[in-house]
Amino acid sequence: MLVRDECEITPAEFRRVSELVHRHCGISLNDGKMSLVQARLAKRLRAGRFGTVTAYLDHVQADPGGSEFTELIDAISTNLTSFFREDDHFRYLADHGVPGMLARRRGAAGGARVRAWSAACSTGEEPYSLAMTLLDALGPKAGSVDLKILATDICTRVLRTAEAGVYDEARVRSVPPDKRARYLRPERQGGRAAFKVVPEVRDAIRFRHLNLTGAWPFAGPFQFIFCRNVMIYFDKPTQERLVGRFYDCLEPGGLLFTGHSESLTGVAHRFRYVQPTIYARP
Ligand SMILES: C[S@@+](CC[C@H](N)C(=O)[O-])C[C@H]1O[C@@H](n2cnc3c(N)ncnc32)[C@H](O)[C@@H]1O
């Protein structure tokens, strides 16, 4: 007799997980993701001693605001990131984004405010890279500028790592040496060499839990929005809605950066194309 492993997911259970996740946060799980989802749910089933995926999902759906719902979303989300990932974005920001913003502001009121948003910040490497780039690009002006970076993610686990701002030696290797010397301090963690982000960088960032497909408790305006390597998990209508909302909370001239595999080709939008995966609000 064939015995079903309790962690094994049936096609019907997979559909149920997909619908639940899509409804909550826009992530589309196609059939190719079935074994990945099974592996990720297996840990939750073991932790809660659930006999089957159905029993687990019944528990999650009985309490949609509960902690296991959060654990499910945490388990499903893919959090891969790195410092200065897709580094041409940071070069563009320093060489064109910041000078362009300063030129637009010359003589205008409110010139001392700079607002950026890392809209799917994962474990923090993206907003910290953003902060280091903006501080360097602002140069001596940085001291007189009110710089704030909003960093949001739906996954609570990654936000805890991001807020701590401590990274293994291997993770900080992609930070350019001059920025590493200026913005990271060596710190031993559990006997291992690690680096902590300095307060100047850490204090510029507010980490918040936010579902991009839900309500946003702010309206901007931002000068720079990084929304990278998350839209790839959303279907086209969700991407279009999201890109439209980003447009509305950018100031004129503000920039949207998307992941290298997330060009807006085929997505209806109002942005002016700048170069691949960089878009400006006219
Ligand atoms: C692959 S990481 C990308 C991190 C970073 N932006 C980068 O490019 O390196 C994708 C992140 O998007 C988050 N995410 C997925 N769906 C989300 C949603 N609906 N709202 C907010 N964040 C979401 C995940 O939790 C994950 O941390």
Side-chain angles (χ1 to χ4, degrees):
M1 193 179 69
L2 209 64
V3 180
R4 194 159 81 88
D5 181 332
E6 66 260 20
C7 293
E8 204 174 291
I9 192 165
T10 65
E13 287 169 334
F14 178 69
R15 271 197 306 281
R16 196 172 155 196
V17 178
S18 304
E19 279 163 22
L20 186 63
V21 169
H22 185 262
R23 215 177 316 124
H24 179 68
C25 58
I27 297 177
S28 296
L29 297 166
N30 58 36
D31 288 349
K33 295 275 163 65
M34 195 153 146
S35 47
L36 179 84
V37 168
Q38 175 170 302
R40 289 181 175 184
L41 287 192
K43 292 186 196 129
R44 298 310 314 151
L45 262 70
R46 276 196 293 273
R49 295 170 185 271
F50 293 98
T52 60
V53 173
T54 294
Y56 175 70
L57 292 176
D58 287 347
H59 173 79
V60 167
Q61 289 196 288
D63 185 11
S67 63
E68 195 52 47
F69 196 94
T70 307
E71 295 285 356
L72 168 66
I73 299 300
D74 283 11
I76 294 296
S77 54
T78 297
N79 309 115
L80 183 78
T81 189
S82 56
F83 280 103
F84 292 89
R85 182 183 193 180
E86 299 171 353
D87 64 343
D88 56 312
H89 283 161
F90 297 96
R91 274 199 303 275
Y92 187 89
L93 183 65
D95 295 346
H96 304 280
V98 171
M101 173 194 69
L102 294 175
R104 281 198 308 279
R105 297 249 176 125
R106 212 157 284 143
R113 259 171 76 107
V114 178
R115 297 288 181 266
W117 180 15
S118 165
C121 67
S122 190
T123 38
E125 288 86 338
E126 181 178 277
Y128 287 128
S129 306
L130 198 46
M132 292 177 198
T133 304
L134 290 172
L135 285 169
D136 277 1
L138 288 165
K141 288 198 185 71
S144 59
V145 163
D146 169 23
L147 168 66
K148 285 203 177 60
I149 297 167
L150 174 66
T152 61
D153 203 283
I154 199 168
C155 176
T156 49
R157 176 175 37 83
V158 292
L159 286 169
R160 283 196 291 275
T161 304
E163 287 194 306
V166 180
Y167 298 91
D168 282 356
E169 198 169 19
R171 293 202 72 78
V172 306
R173 268 184 215 137
S174 54
V175 179
D178 58 323
K179 290 188 172 46
R180 205 185 314 168
R182 208 167 311 138
Y183 298 125
L184 297 170
R185 292 286 167 268
E187 177 164 299
R188 291 211 71 78
Q189 210 188 36
R192 296 219 316 269
F195 288 83
K196 191 176 172 86
V197 176
V198 298
E200 184 190 7
V201 171
R202 175 64 190 78
D203 294 348
I205 306 176
R206 298 283 174 276
F207 289 101
R208 297 281 180 270
H209 180 256
L210 183 92
N211 180 355
L212 285 171
T213 63
W216 300 349
F218 49 81
F222 296 96
Q223 285 78 49
F224 308 109
I225 298 179
F226 275 53
C227 182
R228 309 187 310 158
N229 304 300
V230 61
M231 280 197 282
I232 199 167
Y233 301 109
F234 299 157
D235 57 25
K236 199 121 287 173
T238 308
Q239 291 178 2
E240 276 178 10
R241 264 195 308 278
L242 191 57
V243 167
R245 293 174 81 189
F246 286 144
Y247 183 97
D248 291 335
C249 59
L250 271 170
E251 73 173 17
L255 297 173
L256 171 68
F257 297 79
T258 65
H260 277 184
S261 54
E262 301 171 314
S263 97
L264 300 187
T265 311
V267 174
H269 66 83
R270 292 166 280 165
F271 282 99
R272 176 174 64 78
Y273 170 87
V274 176
Q275 65 179 56
T277 66
I278 304 180
Y279 302 87
R281 178 173 168 156

